[in-house]
Amino acid sequence: PAYSPSEWIKEKNLMDSRRLPIKPNHFFGVDLNRNAVRATKINLRAAGFKNIEVANVDFREFTPPFRPHLILSNPPYGKRLE
């Protein structure tokens, strides 16, 4: 399909205008890798997200600030979680 920069900007602006603010303590993330945490924080800030905590900690030792309704995980490739 053809790409139109002006159509992309128009659609992006429309979607940005519909963005709802994220409630404090609504999302959080943890990662053992310090570089992954830093990159995540940079990417969240660049995307305009606020109120999302990202901690450099082992998830097995992390106590969430609230009971999560959904957990997304990206375990190391080729390793089993037990």
Side-chain angles (χ1 to χ4, degrees):
Y3 170 73
S4 167
S6 62
E7 284 298 314
W8 161 250
I9 293 296
K10 186 171 117 182
E11 192 64 26
K12 181 186 181 310
N13 290 338
L14 175 63
M15 293 300 111
D16 284 346
S17 74
R18 294 180 181 176
R19 183 183 286 185
L20 300 175
I22 295 175
K23 299 174 189 173
N25 297 321
H26 195 72
F27 290 103
F28 60 88
V30 297
D31 200 298
L32 197 54
N33 184 305
R34 184 179 313 127
N35 292 329
V37 170
R38 185 177 54 231
T40 299
K41 288 179 178 181
I42 290 168
N43 290 333
L44 286 169
R45 192 169 36 249
F49 290 104
K50 299 176 182 173
N51 299 323
I52 299 178
E53 282 296 316
V54 182
N56 180 210
V57 64
D58 188 323
F59 79 95
R60 294 170 290 192
E61 298 169 7
F62 178 74
T63 302
F66 55 89
R67 185 175 179 201
H69 296 281
L70 174 68
I71 298 174
L72 302 176
S73 176
N74 185 14
Y77 180 75
K79 294 189 178 183
R80 296 182 70 91
L81 298 178
E82 304 206 18

